[in-house]
Amino acid sequence: MNTEQYQKHLNDHSIGFDVKNNGVHLIVEGPKGYVDVWPTTGKWICRGDQKQGFGLRELLLYITKGET
């Protein structure tokens, strides 16, 4: 998935984010703070509790329901 598709999915789910480095790095609003996301690899790391995972599906579950 490219960065534009990733951003569209976040927008579709009304999840706020900031774009850094031309979309290579996103900073997403999570349930316990900010989440650093790298759409090109799918990796994400939560700043608040160091929870991490891979993929948009896991990220959406974490943000919307607090689970992965």
Side-chain angles (χ1 to χ4, degrees):
M1 174 177 305
N2 69 34
T3 59
E4 288 140 2
Q5 292 170 324
Y6 208 99
Q7 290 175 35
K8 181 183 179 322
H9 284 290
L10 292 175
N11 280 327
D12 290 347
H13 288 87
S14 300
I15 296 171
F17 62 91
D18 286 327
V19 178
K20 303 294 182 187
N21 299 324
N22 295 319
V24 175
H25 177 207
L26 303 177
I27 301 173
V28 178
E29 296 176 25
K32 297 180 181 178
Y34 292 105
V35 181
D36 291 300
V37 180
W38 294 270
T40 55
T41 64
K43 184 171 182 167
W44 55 269
I45 300 173
C46 181
R47 292 182 187 176
D49 61 6
Q50 295 302 309
K51 182 134 186 95
Q52 57 185 320
F54 284 94
L56 179 61
R57 183 171 177 242
E58 270 191 32
L59 177 64
L60 290 175
L61 281 172
Y62 175 70
I63 291 172
T64 60
K65 298 182 181 176
E67 58 188 54
T68 56

